[in-house]
Structure formats: structure tokens, C-alpha cells
Amino acid sequence: MSAKNGENHVVGWEGNKWNAQDGTSTHKNVEEYVEDKVIDHEKGIFVSSEVEIELESGRNGKIDTLIEHDNKYTVIDYKTNNMHDWTESDARRYGKEHGQQVQEYVSVLGKSRDTEGYIVALGRQPEDPNVLQTYVDTLSEQG
């Protein structure tokens, strides 16, 4: 799994408010955008959204976006949390939880072909830049 913090890798929500409806709408719009821009059947690039998967624990998961190309999988999980008021403790807790979630997807799919996973944080960014860095660092530790 890859985690980066930089102006080309972190998308922030501008404005003062963020709610569940904003997250759902943003998630759906980005999912559709990625599918529209990446899919290319002539080049053998296939994109699926909301892919259900049985995890090693026996639980079910749902991959937000799965890209298949050259006998490889790329898993993308979108996080639309309102991080604005997060503490560094929150960032560590959610970073661990989110990282483990994607790592489970990668582990299951990686049994049949090369697989890599990414988390795209789309929600409102934390007020404190150290909190965002803690989240990114914790994600990196998971994979």
C-alpha cells in the first residue's frame, strides 16, 4: 500500500461544513470519474466499482474501485471522512483501521495475481497539518 502527503496526492474539501451526504456524493462522483478516465477495453484496462469480496476472516468487504490491467489488480478505497477536528490519536486509529481494510483486500486478491492498494482521502482535511501527516504515516505502516 502506498501513502503520500503532498499537493498532488491529497484532495481536500474546501468550506466549513462536511456531512455524510457530502461524503456519499463525493465518493460516487470520484468513483465515476475514475471509471470514466481509466477504463480502456482496447488496452485491456477494466474498472469495476463496489466489488464485493469475501475476506480471509469470513466477513464480506466491498472494494470501491478495482482496476484490472496486465494480469494485475489495483484496489482503490475512498475515504470521505471529516478529518477537520481529528486529533493525532484519531488519525492513528483511523489510519490503522483504513490501512488494515485495504491490506485485507490486497491479501485476498494477491493470491491470484499481483495486487496493490491505495487509499484516496477525499474528505475535509484536518485543521492541524501534523494530524494529516500522522494519518499518512500510520497508513504507510500498515502495508
Side-chain angles (χ1 to χ4, degrees):
M1 182 168 46
S2 178
K4 297 179 183 177
N5 180 9
E7 63 185 59
N8 294 322
H9 304 286
V10 177
V11 178
W13 176 263
E14 299 298 325
N16 296 326
K17 297 180 182 173
W18 181 262
N19 60 46
Q21 187 175 5
D22 294 327
T24 301
S25 172
T26 300
H27 184 281
K28 185 176 189 299
N29 289 338
V30 170
E31 205 170 65
E32 290 172 358
Y33 178 84
V34 169
E35 190 168 334
D36 181 56
K37 296 297 181 187
V38 174
I39 199 166
D40 188 337
H41 292 145
E42 290 179 13
K43 292 183 180 178
I45 303 172
F46 301 92
V47 179
S48 303
S49 298
E50 304 296 321
V51 177
E52 298 217 11
I53 182 172
E54 185 176 342
L55 304 174
E56 292 171 342
S57 65
R59 295 185 350 253
N60 290 324
K62 191 178 287 188
I63 297 170
D64 293 333
T65 299
L66 180 64
I67 301 170
E68 299 177 64
H69 183 253
D70 289 336
N71 204 32
K72 295 179 185 175
Y73 285 128
T74 300
V75 172
I76 303 175
D77 195 64
Y78 307 107
K79 296 301 177 191
T80 56
N81 301 75
N82 179 359
M83 301 180 190
H84 187 260
D85 296 324
W86 279 11
T87 64
E88 287 189 44
S89 177
D90 294 327
R92 278 189 291 280
R93 184 180 82 216
Y94 289 120
K96 183 175 181 179
E97 180 183 305
H98 297 164
Q100 288 175 342
Q101 177 188 10
V102 171
Q103 200 55 40
E104 280 186 280
Y105 299 157
V106 168
S107 178
V108 170
L109 294 173
K111 292 179 180 178
S112 63
R113 55 176 84 171
D114 284 344
T115 305
E116 57 188 7
Y118 297 92
I119 290 175
V120 179
L122 300 165
R124 187 168 179 216
Q125 298 300 301
E127 190 169 356
D128 179 352
N130 292 325
V131 171
L132 180 59
Q133 190 59 54
T134 298
Y135 179 69
V136 170
D137 291 346
T138 304
L139 286 172
S140 294
E141 292 168 4
Q142 303 312 304

